[in-house]
């Protein structure tokens, strides 16, 4: 591993620097609901394999002594797999509702930054002998699609197990370099990357300017304008209701049939992501109406994946586009088509390939400036393609897989992850912006109900809310360390 490989990317660094403000904490939590309790020894082997296949899960971050370069991933000399694995049992049987208080606590708690930035907790004692695994990962380690890639390195595709051969060898520690040499190496590699990416563009622009100077000038102007749109500040929320921000979170989950949402997308000549976004927009419109007000549009942050074949597993290969989506179109199909045009235009922005450079420029700004921008975003939405086939963890089948992504300063993050035949939707809300989560969830159910009606589907939408865990339902220790 070279010095530049051990450095955080600019995108990873952005999510790391945010945490100087706890409102912007970048914690990803996922819940895998299982049909039975996973086998202890197989689970440990599964996680051992995963940390060897993805070495960043055995590394911690070390700050640059000069403070001028991103932190480095370094091997944790005290890495102890058992510290990252916990096992608890519920004293009273329950479903996902009994697990969500643990999810809520995980979204609100910081990581021990002197250890690798992840945890996995088995929760036993659910209804009908079922169990759950709560995974907590810092966003600096991976984005949503990277997380699925990491999971595919560990899980089985049959209950009895998938033959993956012997455990991979523990990756050797990279040769160390002096701090000065490492920092200089990072600057040189960054400059080389900039030249490598910029030179072809300059050559093409130069050739184009010779053949068609007007078109070349237009390209330069369009790229500059696109970059300005990506970095422009947002000074006020568009929502008149979801204004305040805090460090307190509440979580909820929705369960939709995947085929039904796909039928809606086809009926509207749109994508599944468009149908998902419209369900959110209609839900937020209902939420505002319940508060006796309305908004013509809301600002959203939409992650755009930049991941390509051959990219390393994990890490962040996304850019964050911030733009307004309308709330003044009541008809779902018309709204889907409008959303489709807006999202496509942002995916095609000339600045998208320059995302790393843009993130680097933003990282030069004080963290408080970036936080001030993000705290005026109304909602964050993300759609992560999951597994189309059944998955197993240590002999237990994964029935559902719910993602709870960080709010990153917005009022609420709503993330969809498909799993076999289901759309598993996790809602992570800032309780200062959304003090009445049940009202928001009810509004979302109505919004997605209107969307599903486009496909002629009256399927009931399953919902689960978080709540403070009553004293008689506090989990007890069983096996691994108890979670805190």
């Amino acid at each position: 591993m070279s010095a530049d490989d051990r450095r955080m990317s600019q995108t990873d660094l952005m999510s790391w620097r945010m945490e100087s403000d706890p409102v912007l904490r970048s914690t990803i939590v996922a819940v895998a609901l299982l049909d039975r309790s996973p086998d202890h020894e197989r689970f440990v082997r599964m996680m051992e394999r995963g940390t060897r296949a993805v070495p960043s899960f055995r590394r911690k971050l070390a700050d640059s002594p000069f403070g001028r370069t991103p932190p480095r991933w370094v091997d944790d000399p005290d890495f102890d797999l058992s510290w990252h694995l916990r096992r608890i049992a519920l004293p009273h049987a329950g479903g996902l509702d009994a697990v969500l208080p643990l999810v809520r606590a995980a979204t609100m708690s910081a990581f021990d930054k002197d250890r690798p930035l992840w945890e996995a907790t088995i929760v036993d004692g659910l209804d009908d002998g079922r169990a759950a695994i709560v995974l907590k990962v810092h966003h600096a380690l991976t984005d949503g699609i990277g997380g699925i890639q990491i999971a595919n390195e560990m899980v089985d595709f049959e209950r009895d197990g998938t033959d993956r051969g012997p455990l991979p060898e523990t990756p050797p520690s990279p040769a160390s370099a002096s701090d000065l040499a490492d920092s200089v190496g990072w600057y040189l590699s960054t400059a080389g990357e900039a030249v490598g990416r910029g030179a072809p563009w300059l050559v093409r622009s130069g050739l184009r300017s010779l053949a068609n100077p007007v078109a070349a000038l237009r390209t330069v102007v369009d790229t500059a304008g696109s970059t300005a749109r990506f970095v422009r500040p947002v000074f006020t929320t568009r929502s008149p209701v979801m204004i305040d921000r805090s460090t307190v979170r509440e979580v909820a989950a929705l369960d939709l049939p995947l085929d039904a949402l796909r039928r809606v997308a086809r009926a509207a000549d749109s994508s599944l992501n468009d149908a998902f976004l419209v369900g959110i927009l209609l839900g937020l419109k209902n939420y505002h109406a319940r508060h006796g007000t309305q908004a013509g549009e809301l600002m959203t942050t939409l992650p755009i994946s930049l991941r390509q074949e051959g990219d390393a597993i994990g890490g962040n290969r996304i850019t964050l586009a911030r733009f307004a989506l309308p709330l003044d179109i009541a008809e779902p199909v018309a709204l889907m088509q409008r959303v489709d045009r807006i999202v496509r235009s942002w995916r095609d922005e000339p600045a998208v390939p320059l995302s790393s450079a843009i993130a680097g420029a933003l990282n030069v700004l004080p963290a408080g400036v970036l936080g001030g921008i993000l705290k005026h975003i109304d909602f964050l939405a993300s759609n992560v393609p999951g597994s189309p086939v059944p998955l197993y963890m240590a002999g237990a089948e994964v029935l559902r897989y719910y993602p709870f992504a960080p709010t990153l300063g917005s009022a609420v993050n709503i993330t969809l992850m498909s799993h076999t035949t289901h759309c598993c939707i996790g809602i992570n809300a800032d309780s200062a912006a959304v003090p009445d989560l049940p009202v928001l969830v009810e509004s979302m159910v109505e919004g997605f109900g209107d969307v599903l009606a486009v496909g002629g589907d009256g399927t009931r939408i399953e919902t689960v809310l978080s709540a403070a865990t009553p004293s008689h339902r506090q989990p007890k220790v069983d096996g691994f360390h108890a979670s805190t």
Side-chain angles (χ1 to χ4, degrees):
M1 174 180 279
S2 63
D4 54 299
D5 289 333
R6 287 186 279 124
R7 289 288 181 189
M8 269 187 165
S9 70
Q10 294 290 355
T11 308
D12 296 342
L13 178 60
M14 184 181 296
S15 67
W16 181 251
R17 290 180 70 244
M18 288 179 189
E19 298 223 337
S20 60
D21 183 344
V23 173
L24 303 178
R25 192 162 285 156
S26 299
T27 302
I28 300 174
V29 182
V31 176
L33 281 183
L34 310 176
D35 70 340
R36 63 176 67 172
S37 179
D39 179 79
H40 176 91
E41 292 184 1
R42 289 180 60 181
F43 178 71
V44 173
R45 287 200 303 271
M46 180 185 81
M47 300 306 296
E48 175 73 22
R49 175 179 293 278
T51 62
R52 294 191 188 191
V54 188
S56 57
F57 277 64
R58 288 175 173 258
R59 296 185 177 128
K60 62 180 182 177
L61 281 167
D63 289 329
S64 165
F66 300 103
R68 299 298 181 185
T69 56
R72 291 174 296 172
W73 294 107
V74 298
D75 290 337
D76 180 6
D78 301 319
F79 178 74
D80 180 356
L81 180 64
S82 68
W83 187 91
H84 295 270
L85 306 182
R86 296 100 192 273
R87 190 161 196 158
I88 62 176
L90 298 172
H92 301 278
L96 181 60
D97 61 316
V99 180
L100 288 188
L102 300 173
V103 174
R104 177 178 182 265
T107 64
M108 293 171 61
S109 59
F111 283 93
D112 180 348
K113 295 182 179 180
D114 293 321
R115 299 179 186 274
L117 305 175
W118 67 275
E119 300 169 5
T121 303
I122 295 176
V123 183
D124 287 316
L126 275 66
D127 292 330
D128 302 321
R130 296 181 177 182
I133 297 178
V134 178
L135 301 170
K136 177 182 175 182
V137 179
H138 196 283
H139 214 319
L141 276 178
T142 186
D143 55 32
I145 294 177
I148 294 298
Q149 293 177 335
I150 292 170
N152 286 338
E153 293 292 319
M154 300 186 294
V155 300
D156 295 319
F157 299 100
E158 297 178 355
R159 191 181 295 276
D160 292 336
T162 300
D163 185 8
R164 297 180 180 271
L167 285 175
E169 295 293 328
T170 303
S173 299
S176 60
S178 69
D179 291 326
L180 178 60
D182 186 63
S183 297
V184 170
W186 180 82
Y187 280 114
L188 290 175
S189 66
T190 301
E193 180 183 6
V195 171
R197 291 178 180 272
W201 183 85
L202 290 172
V203 171
R204 289 194 302 270
S205 298
L207 294 175
R208 192 180 297 115
S209 66
L210 295 175
N212 190 338
V214 174
L217 178 61
R218 185 181 298 116
T219 298
V220 173
V221 172
D222 288 346
T223 302
S226 177
T227 302
R229 286 190 289 275
F230 262 84
V231 301
R232 66 184 174 186
V234 180
F235 297 110
T236 59
T237 60
R238 305 293 175 91
S239 169
V241 175
M242 304 184 301
I243 299 174
D244 297 329
R245 300 292 185 264
S246 73
T247 60
V248 182
R249 302 288 178 266
E250 293 288 351
V251 295
L254 304 179
D255 194 2
L256 307 179
L258 178 58
D259 284 345
L261 206 58
R262 283 174 172 163
R263 284 196 298 272
V264 169
R266 288 194 296 267
D269 195 24
S270 298
S271 68
L272 184 142
N273 188 63
D274 297 329
F276 169 57
L277 287 173
V278 167
I280 294 174
L281 291 172
L282 294 177
L284 290 173
K285 181 177 182 179
N286 294 336
Y287 182 73
H288 282 76
R290 282 174 162 81
H291 284 269
T293 187
Q294 59 184 356
E297 61 183 15
L298 294 177
M299 286 294 295
T300 185
T301 294
L302 186 72
I304 298 176
S305 177
L306 305 176
R307 195 172 293 274
Q308 300 177 354
E309 186 175 353
D311 283 344
I313 295 176
N316 284 275
R317 303 289 191 274
I318 59 172
T319 186
L320 300 177
R322 296 173 291 110
F323 52 88
L325 288 175
L327 258 67
D328 58 354
I329 302 174
E331 205 281 315
V333 172
L335 183 54
M336 264 184 270
Q337 293 171 348
R338 175 63 177 147
V339 166
D340 180 70
R341 290 193 294 271
I342 294 173
V343 172
R344 283 179 184 273
S345 70
W346 278 92
R347 292 187 189 278
D348 295 336
E349 281 280 354
V352 168
L354 305 176
S355 298
S356 179
I358 292 173
L362 292 175
N363 283 333
V364 174
L365 299 175
V369 174
L370 182 60
I373 295 173
L374 296 175
K375 288 179 184 178
H376 292 115
I377 301 298
D378 297 299
F379 74 98
L380 198 155
S382 183
N383 172 19
V384 182
S387 175
V389 299
L391 301 177
Y392 299 86
M393 293 183 172
E397 182 179 358
V398 179
L399 303 176
R400 302 283 193 280
Y401 201 99
Y402 294 97
F404 299 90
T407 61
L408 299 182
S410 66
V412 60
N413 183 316
I414 304 172
T415 298
L416 180 153
M417 181 175 289
S418 59
H419 180 70
T420 61
T421 60
H422 302 277
C423 291
C424 303
I425 298 175
I427 300 175
N428 184 11
D430 186 322
S431 65
V434 183
D436 48 359
L437 184 63
V439 176
L440 177 66
V441 171
E442 183 180 349
S443 301
M444 287 291 167
V445 169
E446 291 184 8
F448 279 106
D450 290 341
V451 169
L452 293 180
V454 171
D457 198 302
T459 301
R460 182 173 179 267
I461 300 172
E462 299 290 338
T463 67
V464 186
L465 298 175
S466 69
T469 307
S471 59
H472 71 278
R473 296 189 66 149
Q474 292 292 340
K476 64 182 180 181
V477 177
D478 181 18
F480 302 137
H481 303 294
S483 68
T484 57

